[in-house]
Amino acid sequence: MSAILLMVVGLGVMSLGYLFYSKFIAEKIYRLDPDFVTPAHEMRDGVDYVPTNRFVLWGHHFTSVAGAAPIVGPAIAVIWGWGPAFLWVVLGTVFFAGIHDFGALWASVRNKGKSIGMLSGSFIGRRGRNLFLVVIFLLLLMVNAAFAVVIANLLVSTPTSVIPTWGAIVVALIIGQMIYRYRFGLLWPSIGGVIVLYALILLGNQYPIVLPESILGLNAKSFWIVALFLYAGVASLLPVWVLLQPRDYINGLQLFVGLGILYAAVLLSAPAIVAPALNDALPAGTPSIVPLLFVTIACGAISGFHGLVSSGTTSKQLDKETDARFVGYFGAMGEGMLSLAAIICCTAGFATLVDWQTVYSKFGAGGVGAFVNGGDKLLVDGLGMPAQLGSTMLATMAILFAATTMDTGLRLQRFVVQEAGEIAGFKIGTMVGTVIALVVCMALAFGAGADGGGGMVIWPLFGTTNQLLAALTLSIISVILIKQGRNAWFTLVPLVFLLVMSVYALVVQLKTFYTDQNWLLLGMDIVILIAALWVTLEAFIAMSKGRDPAHAGAESRP
């Protein structure tokens, strides 16, 4: 089968989803109001609450939610065959991710920019809110600690990506000043920024940066992890317009161009998919496709982390409520397009089925490496690109996706720390909240792994926790819709499906962790399972009470 057919069908379905389904949701379910005063205007402070051009905000949102997971998840999941992975990525993006990301953004904007965790307190009660924050904090801990390891590994294994990765920060700082301080329009900073970023890729390809075996008493991987945490800490303290917004925006453009180049290579090379549509010769030890497919792909189809970004940072920057459709739903489409590209690279980027089976010899194989190497082959065959240059471009794409997620993730974790302090009755400042978030992440990274790789210790729970959080977020959105007398079936159906699959996966993992005597993950699994079921019960109780006009008017200002 030709990869072109997979690409055309996948992109076509996602396009139809945005053009028609998201329009229906915007007009009939969320009922966006162009005259509604968003929190970015009502609570403007120039730091977190900043009215933002929708294209710039889309860049921030897309690159923040599109971390390494939408590459890693599908790249691992194709071991069951490309068919199930393709269907879940495409349909999940249209009917699950889009309405989830869009809904979390809408709900937060209608409630003074509150995070989804704090919204749970308003709509399902204090107990639910406190337990919700526990799940959120653990997920952010997994994201920040693990993504630091993923990025550090890529910087070590692909030293040609070092210059473009760190050079992108300088470019973003300059663009931020051009747009906000000197009032340039978007056109020329955008064009110039993308050109410079790709020039940095060419430069990095010529001058790889390989760190010495020991630097400041750390090996190369540990040094990069420390540097990444320090960068994320500084980035989370700066006003969003200085670094976060322009970095995410220009990276979003660069990464979208990169996806365009990759898809063009597929069109020109017309590669055949060598992997089976449904793999009936699974390696020993491969878990059952149900429920593990859905929690393995995770961000490639729907992600609870997206709801945190939508309600944590994006909602505070939305200029007009009607921009939520483009930023939230189309942001999910960008993630789906990335995951589709990962599936194609990891199934058509091999010369033969034997080559593919050699890489996918056990569950967990593939990952970013399969994406980079498979995509590199497609770029060489389709565009005649030098082999190492293709690897550099794709590794840089993966790093920038992960890095923008990490700096947003640390800012979100600081918000959670501050919200926890508010619940406990005392105020935690921005600096203190950031330090607490950094200390916890680095304690995990270096406490559970001497080289800083401890973040990967709790990674096996990431996909499950992520999907579970998406279900909990949909439960809050459903409660809001029901209290306003609106049709909630479009959120309830994805909610029930995700809840069943996530809880099923948690129970399956409980047995695995117990058999392996992994008491840390066993304990975390139990905590997450109890918290999630409790929050779900509180949410369904709130739904059963039906419409409450007074509450809806006070909290959601329809």
Side-chain angles (χ1 to χ4, degrees):
M1 176 178 171
S2 172
I4 293 179
L5 180 60
L6 208 63
M7 180 186 75
V8 171
V9 172
L11 294 180
V13 172
M14 290 184 205
S15 299
L16 291 173
Y18 177 73
L19 291 174
F20 298 104
Y21 188 61
S22 73
K23 183 179 180 181
F24 166 77
I25 296 298
E27 294 177 354
K28 304 299 183 182
I29 307 301
Y30 298 146
R31 302 177 190 174
L32 303 185
D33 180 2
D35 297 322
F36 180 80
V37 180
T38 64
H41 291 280
E42 183 181 359
M43 305 169 68
R44 183 170 187 163
D45 62 5
V47 178
D48 295 316
Y49 294 84
V50 180
T52 304
N53 178 283
R54 67 175 184 152
F55 295 103
V56 176
L57 187 56
W58 174 85
H60 155 71
H61 183 79
F62 168 52
T63 53
S64 293
V65 300
I71 296 173
V72 176
I76 292 174
V78 294
I79 196 169
W80 287 295
W82 61 260
F86 172 77
L87 288 174
W88 178 231
V89 163
V90 174
L91 298 179
T93 296
V94 172
F95 295 107
F96 286 63
I99 197 167
H100 167 273
D101 298 13
F102 184 6
L105 178 55
W106 164 77
S108 179
V109 166
R110 282 280 167 164
N111 289 274
K112 297 184 179 294
K114 289 182 181 178
S115 72
I116 201 69
M118 295 303 284
L119 282 177
S120 64
S122 301
F123 289 95
I124 65 174
R126 288 179 296 177
R127 287 191 305 271
R129 174 198 61 194
N130 296 344
L131 292 166
F132 206 125
L133 288 176
V134 170
V135 178
I136 291 173
F137 187 84
L138 289 174
L139 178 65
L140 289 172
L141 182 62
M142 295 176 197
V143 169
N144 294 331
F147 277 22
V149 180
V150 171
I151 298 170
N153 286 338
L154 281 170
L155 290 172
V156 172
S157 65
T158 314
T160 52
S161 64
V162 173
I163 287 179
T165 294
W166 294 100
I169 297 173
V170 178
V171 174
L173 289 169
I174 294 172
I175 288 178
Q177 296 297 314
M178 291 175 68
I179 293 176
Y180 287 100
R181 186 178 296 276
Y182 297 107
R183 304 298 178 184
F184 278 72
L186 279 180
L187 180 62
W188 293 113
S190 301
I191 294 174
V194 171
I195 291 173
V196 172
L197 287 177
Y198 275 96
L200 287 172
I201 289 177
L202 294 172
L203 183 65
N205 195 59
Q206 292 296 316
Y207 300 99
I209 304 296
V210 180
L211 295 182
E213 292 185 6
S214 178
I215 178 169
L216 300 177
L218 302 170
N219 62 31
K221 175 182 173 181
S222 301
F223 175 81
W224 285 130
I225 289 174
V226 172
L228 287 163
F229 274 123
L230 292 177
Y231 155 74
V234 172
S236 72
L237 289 170
L238 293 173
V240 290
W241 66 268
V242 173
L243 179 57
L244 190 68
Q245 273 187 6
R247 171 179 164 82
D248 291 354
Y249 170 66
I250 199 64
N251 283 346
L253 290 180
Q254 180 202 13
L255 299 170
F256 223 64
V257 170
L259 281 177
I261 292 172
L262 192 55
Y263 280 128
V266 173
L267 277 175
L268 294 174
S269 62
I273 298 175
V274 299
L278 188 63
N279 191 4
D280 56 3
L282 293 170
T286 302
S288 171
I289 189 172
V290 178
L292 269 298
L293 170 74
F294 304 100
V295 299
T296 299
I297 289 181
C299 301
I302 182 171
S303 165
F305 180 74
H306 295 192
L308 299 184
V309 176
S310 292
S311 64
T313 60
T314 307
S315 64
K316 297 173 176 62
Q317 303 169 59
L318 197 72
D319 184 31
K320 298 179 180 179
E321 189 179 60
T322 47
D323 292 344
R325 177 190 171 207
F326 176 77
V327 175
Y329 197 98
F330 191 63
M333 296 299 100
E335 182 104 330
M337 285 185 268
L338 173 61
S339 297
L340 177 61
I343 291 173
I344 292 173
C345 289
C346 296
T347 56
F350 294 85
T352 65
L353 174 60
V354 173
D355 291 337
W356 182 84
Q357 290 174 330
T358 300
V359 173
Y360 286 88
S361 59
K362 64 177 181 178
F363 183 73
V368 175
F371 168 74
V372 171
N373 295 329
D376 181 59
K377 182 180 183 300
L378 295 179
L379 291 171
V380 171
D381 294 345
L383 302 177
M385 186 178 291
Q388 184 57 52
L389 180 58
S391 296
T392 300
M393 187 187 84
L394 293 173
T396 301
M397 282 178 60
I399 290 171
L400 293 180
F401 273 125
T404 49
T405 298
M406 187 179 169
D407 53 26
T408 299
L410 196 70
R411 186 180 287 259
L412 291 171
Q413 197 160 16
R414 184 247 294 174
F415 289 158
V416 172
V417 169
Q418 290 177 304
E419 288 171 351
E422 182 180 328
I423 292 170
F426 56 87
K427 182 177 178 62
I428 296 178
T430 300
M431 178 66 74
V432 174
T434 300
V435 170
I436 292 173
L438 273 175
V439 167
V440 173
C441 289
M442 294 187 73
L444 171 64
F446 287 93
D451 65 348
M456 300 308 293
V457 171
I458 58 177
W459 185 253
L461 275 173
F462 168 76
T464 311
T465 308
N466 196 25
Q467 297 300 85
L468 198 54
L469 183 58
L472 298 181
T473 299
L474 285 168
S475 72
I476 304 302
I477 299 169
S478 299
V479 170
I480 295 173
L481 291 173
I482 289 172
K483 285 185 178 295
Q484 295 183 359
R486 302 185 191 183
N487 189 341
W489 284 110
F490 298 93
T491 55
L492 283 172
V493 172
L495 156 62
V496 172
F497 181 85
L498 287 175
L499 188 63
V500 170
M501 289 300 165
S502 301
V503 171
Y504 185 7
L506 276 175
V507 172
V508 170
Q509 288 177 314
L510 268 178
K511 181 180 178 181
T512 302
F513 298 149
Y514 179 78
T515 302
D516 296 341
Q517 296 187 347
N518 191 329
W519 309 123
L520 172 63
L521 292 184
L522 180 69
M524 291 182 65
D525 194 317
I526 293 172
V527 169
I528 292 168
L529 181 60
I530 292 174
L533 291 176
W534 198 331
V535 172
T536 303
L537 178 62
E538 298 270 3
F540 278 104
I541 290 173
M543 290 180 205
S544 69
K545 293 179 180 178
R547 181 178 172 84
D548 181 352
H551 184 79
E555 297 294 340
S556 296
R557 302 179 294 160

